[in-house]
């Protein structure tokens, strides 16, 4: 199981499968994971990938959510299951996917609707989590009023893509940020806090001292040596943010 690569136990009866769906005539390839030993409806959680695309790391996170009892769908924001192997290619994919925000929203919502139709979700609430690029996506969907019980961003951009969170938003928000991340500087974090306070949001912000961008991804340590980018894995921040996410989701779905 992919989750084993991340160093977490895999005791639940998790099954996984690829799912295909279409948006504006293009095929998208997601990854669904759930515990098939449970038969009762349960909440769903969407997982939005980093700018690298829907790779084994994100599939592993979906499996870890399934082990917690959720139905998890790692969605495809690029189409055709595309994955990048070089930052230049990843940047091109990410930029193209966000060139039209209405199109990006349709891609996200198509996956959300796919998850909502799953028999084991069956009208249960849905949350979304995202990493790096995906963190910015889930925050945008919360600000845009998508029907999500909660969103959680891990080392994602905090700047609104359009308008800030409205005061009537019912979506709970969690942000796990690396305090040493040059891609999310302190003024961006402060502006996010002000946005949340102005909206009266139910939010959690955790800033990990010394943590860089991509701190949850064990493969991030390869990137600085290969591409000279300011990223890196931080095991303590990774484990703590995952633990806090579990509590956050439990409280949300109670």
């Amino acid at each position: 199981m992919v989750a084993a690569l991340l160093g977490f136990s895999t005791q639940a009866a998790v099954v996984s499968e690829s799912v295909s769906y279409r948006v504006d005539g293009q095929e998208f390839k997601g990854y669904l994971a759930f515990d098939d030993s449970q038969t009762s409806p349960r909440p769903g959680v969407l997982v939005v990938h980093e700018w690298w695309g829907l790779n084994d790391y994100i599939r592993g996170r979906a499996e870890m959510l399934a082990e917690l009892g959720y139905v998890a769908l790692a969605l495809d924001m690029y189409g055709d299951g595309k994955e990048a192997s070089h930052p230049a290619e990843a940047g091109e994919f990410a930029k193209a996917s966000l060139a039209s925000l209405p199109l990006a929203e349709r891609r996200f919502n198509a996956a959300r609707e796919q998850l909502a139709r799953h028999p084991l979700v069956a009208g249960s609430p849905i949350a979304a989590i995202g990493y790096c690029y995906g963190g910015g996506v889930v925050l945008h969907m919360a600000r845009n009023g998508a029907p999500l019980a909660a969103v959680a961003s891990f080392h994602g951009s905090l700047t609104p893509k359009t308008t800030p969170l409205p005061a009537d938003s019912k979506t709970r928000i969690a942000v796990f940020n690396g305090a040493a991340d040059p891609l999310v500087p302190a003024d961006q974090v402060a502006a996010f806090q002000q946005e949340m306070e102005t909206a009266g949001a139910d939010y959690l912000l955790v800033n990990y001292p010394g943590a860089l961008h991509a701190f949850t991804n064990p493969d991030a340590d390869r990137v600085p040596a290969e591409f000279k980018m300011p990223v890196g894995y931080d095991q303590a921040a990774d484990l703590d943010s995952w633990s806090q996410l579990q509590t956050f989701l439990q409280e949300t779905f109670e």
Side-chain angles (χ1 to χ4, degrees), residues 85-100:
S85 58
H86 191 282
E89 184 181 35
E92 290 174 4
F93 288 169
K95 182 178 180 180
S97 74
L98 298 175
S100 166

Side-chain angles (χ1 to χ4, degrees), residues 20-212:
S20 295
Y21 51 97
R22 301 188 72 81
V23 184
D24 296 339
Q26 183 179 5
E27 185 177 28
F28 290 77
K29 298 176 181 178
Y31 182 80
L32 184 75
F34 56 93
D35 181 351
D36 71 349
S37 69
Q38 304 179 41
T39 58
S40 57
R42 69 203 76 160
V45 183
L46 294 163
V47 188
V48 188
H49 53 75
E50 299 173 297
W51 72 340
W52 302 110
L54 205 178
N55 55 19
D56 279 350
Y57 170 65
I58 294 301
R59 293 184 187 96
R61 290 295 181 183
E63 292 176 2
M64 289 161 65
L65 286 163
E67 290 165 12
L68 297 175
Y70 304 115
V71 179
L73 175 60
L75 59 94
D76 172 13
M77 286 294 291
Y78 294 162
D80 301 315
K82 289 189 296 189
E83 295 181 34
S85 58
H86 191 282
E89 184 181 35
E92 290 174 4
F93 288 169
K95 182 178 180 180
S97 74
L98 298 175
S100 166
L101 286 177
L103 175 57
E105 291 158 10
R106 288 198 296 276
R107 291 177 175 182
F108 180 95
N109 284 323
R112 180 183 54 76
E113 291 163 5
Q114 180 88 10
L115 180 58
R117 288 194 296 269
H118 193 280
L120 290 177
V121 178
S124 298
I126 291 174
I129 71 172
Y131 294 84
C132 300
Y133 159 91
V137 169
V138 301
L139 287 176
H140 173 70
M141 296 309 299
R143 290 167 171 137
N144 196 53
L148 298 166
V151 300
S153 167
F154 296 82
H155 40 83
S157 172
L158 304 181
T159 302
K161 300 183 187 307
T162 52
T163 55
L165 188 75
D168 61 352
S169 175
K170 298 296 189 291
T171 302
R172 302 184 74 225
I173 294 176
V175 164
F176 303 100
N177 184 65
D181 183 352
L183 303 179
V184 186
D187 60 347
Q188 188 179 137
V189 176
F192 171 78
Q193 287 180 287
Q194 184 58 58
E195 176 193 357
M196 295 296 105
E197 294 295 333
T198 299
D202 181 353
Y203 80 103
L204 168 69
L205 171 63
V206 184
N207 236 358
Y208 293 103
L212 293 168

